[in-house]
Amino acid sequence: MKLLPPILIVLATAGCANIPELEGSETAALRKAPYPKLVALGPALGPPTDPISEAAEVEEDLTARSEALAKKAEALQNAEIN
């Protein structure tokens, strides 16, 4: 709460800044440059994935990794130490 008054003062004084206009600042070459072609977002991203099947795949992967780690842990527990 102690920072609230200084933040409000900074925000209030920021509104008093003199910002130059942007109009007329671009060059003639920039004005004549062609705009990039716009692409629809849907086809660019591809078909939507099914969250249920994706979750099942992740669960299978995690289960397999868990079993592999359990086997490694069991092998380490059963290893003889000299």
Side-chain angles (χ1 to χ4, degrees), residues 5-71:
I7 290 174
L8 291 176
I9 291 171
V10 169
L11 289 176
T13 56
C16 299
N18 187 10
I19 300 172
E21 294 294 326
L22 296 177
E23 199 168 313
S25 62
E26 68 269 358
T27 63
L30 182 61
R31 281 192 295 264
K32 293 179 183 177
Y35 284 100
K37 184 179 177 184
L38 298 179
V39 180
L41 190 57
L45 293 178
T49 58
D50 180 28
I52 295 176
S53 65
E54 189 173 327
E57 290 175 12
V58 170
E59 185 177 0
E60 288 173 9
D61 182 43
L62 289 176
T63 303
R65 290 172 61 191
S66 172
E67 290 171 357
L69 287 173
K71 286 180 184 178

